[in-house]
Amino acid sequence: MEMIKENVKERVIIVGTDLGAYPHSLESSMSELVELVKADGAEVVGEITQNLEKFSPKFLIGSGKVNEIKDMIPKLEANAVVFNDELSGVQLRNLEDVFNNFEKFDRKIKVLDRTNLILDIFALRATTYEGKLQVQLAQLNYQLPRLIGIDGWSRTGGGIGTRGPGEQIIETDRRRLLREIDTIKRKLKKAQKNRELTRSRRMENKIPIVSLVGYTNAGKSTLLNRLKISDSKEVFVENMLFATLDPNSRRAQLPDGREYIVSDTVGFVSKLPTKLIEAFKSTLEEIKYSDLILHVIDVSSEDMEIQYKTTMKILKDLEVDLEKVVNVFNKSDKVNISETLVSPKIGGEKVFISAKNGENLDNLLKIISESLPVKLKKVKMKIGYEDSSVLSEVLDNHKSEHLEYLDDGVQLTVTLSIEEYNRFKRYVISDV
């Protein structure tokens, strides 16, 4: 396959059907596919859609449309064809045979489906050791039943659809592939034990955990940066699908001085590959152990209700306690809230915010404060200079008021959890 020159985007023809788009409209589903292609570093140069009563077992779409795409490829100088629907191994092989049946054509035309495209984006974005393992596991599970479809030519060479295991998977036999899957699963189990240890430490320390979930590009990372983070490092934000892949857990502080952990998670999309959910299940299970879940919803999206249902279905599949969920309607700066209709099917507590400009964040913080399970006591304390470690802990982890440096110690007013109150009781002068 021809090597892709650096900084030259691959040119993609996208293909979709009304049958595969449901429950989304074909238009909105194809618009999302365009964004997925962009997120994978390529550009859409052509689009083909078809209304179907049933899928063709040979090509998925009708043979007439297949020939139409073949005619478009040289005219648009396309490198790849991406289907919005999942392709079987046989369909993949048949389409590749047709699209590569050119005389004097100096490159191979790649055929991908939506699942393969999403897996490729995840391979591009994964940065942590565990994240890379999870993506590789999902890719191997995806490729296993499709070996017949991708045999015969290499996917190496760079560009869209080529990240991850690559050509070695095509050349290996099924048993070796299964052994590799088992090896990755063992490594993930070890990583899961380390994460469980971290989680148990948090629970021992009684630090509340708030998880951000929602459709991709709903504004979760922007909200994470807007919350009162204890450190100054900001989370990467970009207007692109799956800009955030690996979970970000950060310390944040409520106005009353309480600290909590706020965790950003990978965004969801419609038709998120089952194998990908399974691979990331151990990471997504962190949501189950949260004290509060903020479901961030793009209130400006035409598909708001469908996106809501997509996320809620995944949360149900993860067996998350939905009583912990608060619906946070973000991007209120883009709409007139008084004229915005929210479906009655979206139940539970609701709050409208703009993470971009900070609108109504005080109300969201109030909801977080009232929802977290830790009880507080506001007290006046006096800590002697000889107890410097206690003094440092209190000052580092809490917002103090009326701080006074006296001859025999430091006097301050601070809000403590019940556990902290019991630990530091001998330093408490009075309740406030």
Side-chain angles (χ1 to χ4, degrees), residues 45 91 111 116 134 153 202 212 250-251 310-311 325 342 391 401:
V45 295
Q91 290 166 340
V111 179
N116 199 355
Q134 288 168 327
W153 62 275
R202 285 177 184 167
L212 305 178
R250 313 290 293 279
R251 280 183 177 266
T310 298
T311 300
V325 177
V342 176
L391 181 60
E401 302 174 32

Side-chain angles (χ1 to χ4, degrees), residues 101-340:
N101 186 20
F102 288 99
E103 290 184 12
K104 298 180 181 179
F105 207 56
D106 60 352
R107 63 181 180 274
K108 289 284 187 180
I109 303 302
K110 289 176 287 187
V111 179
L112 292 79
D113 60 19
R114 182 187 177 95
T115 298
N116 199 355
L117 180 65
I118 292 174
L119 291 172
D120 200 54
I121 297 168
F122 273 52
L124 177 66
R125 299 287 166 80
T127 57
T128 65
Y129 170 72
E130 188 175 6
K132 290 176 181 178
L133 285 176
Q134 288 168 327
V135 173
Q136 190 177 15
L137 176 61
Q139 286 178 314
L140 295 175
N141 278 318
Y142 169 81
Q143 290 179 359
L144 183 60
R146 291 173 174 79
L147 289 177
I148 186 174
I150 57 177
D151 200 7
W153 62 275
S154 167
R155 285 186 184 271
T156 57
I160 186 170
T162 62
R163 292 148 189 130
E167 187 178 21
Q168 61 176 331
I169 301 305
I170 302 169
E171 296 174 344
T172 194
D173 60 22
R174 185 173 295 270
R175 266 180 275 180
R176 183 177 173 184
L177 183 57
L178 289 170
R179 283 199 301 270
E180 192 167 348
I181 288 173
D182 287 339
T183 299
I184 293 174
K185 284 182 176 178
R186 285 196 297 271
K187 290 178 180 178
L188 281 171
K189 278 187 178 179
K190 189 179 290 186
Q192 185 177 0
K193 287 181 181 178
N194 292 335
R195 191 173 56 256
E196 286 172 353
L197 181 61
T198 302
R199 184 170 61 236
S200 64
R201 285 174 180 166
R202 285 177 184 167
M203 294 177 76
E204 286 173 9
N205 293 333
K206 305 295 182 184
I207 302 175
I209 300 173
V210 175
S211 284
L212 305 178
V213 302
Y215 213 76
T216 187
N217 213 23
K220 297 184 299 300
S221 295
T222 303
L223 178 57
L224 180 61
N225 286 331
R226 271 287 178 181
L227 293 172
K228 195 174 181 183
I229 306 300
S230 299
D231 57 52
S232 59
K233 185 179 178 182
E234 288 205 343
V235 174
F236 172 72
V237 175
E238 187 173 346
N239 185 27
M240 181 183 287
L241 301 189
F242 300 122
T244 302
L245 175 57
D246 296 305
N248 288 295
S249 292
R250 313 290 293 279
R251 280 183 177 266
Q253 197 173 61
L254 292 167
D256 60 21
R258 252 190 308 171
E259 282 208 333
Y260 63 101
I261 301 293
V262 57
S263 181
D264 191 8
T265 58
V266 60
F268 304 134
V269 294
S270 62
K271 299 194 289 186
L272 193 64
T274 303
K275 293 297 182 185
L276 193 58
I277 295 174
E278 289 175 4
F280 275 76
K281 210 163 190 177
S282 57
T283 302
L284 292 171
E285 277 180 348
E286 292 289 299
I287 300 169
K288 288 175 63 174
Y289 299 96
S290 303
D291 298 287
L292 181 66
I293 299 165
L294 301 182
H295 179 184
V296 184
I297 304 166
D298 181 357
V299 73
S300 68
S301 172
E302 293 180 1
D303 289 328
M304 174 173 57
E305 186 178 341
I306 297 173
Q307 292 178 3
Y308 167 81
K309 288 179 179 177
T310 298
T311 300
M312 294 303 288
K313 182 183 182 303
I314 294 172
L315 293 180
K316 287 176 184 176
D317 290 344
L318 293 169
E319 298 179 346
V320 169
D321 181 2
L322 300 183
E323 293 294 321
K324 298 178 181 178
V325 177
V326 172
N327 294 312
V328 180
F329 292 87
N330 189 28
K331 304 188 182 182
S332 61
D333 54 299
K334 291 187 175 184
V335 298
N336 186 333
I337 294 297
S338 61
E339 297 177 2
T340 301

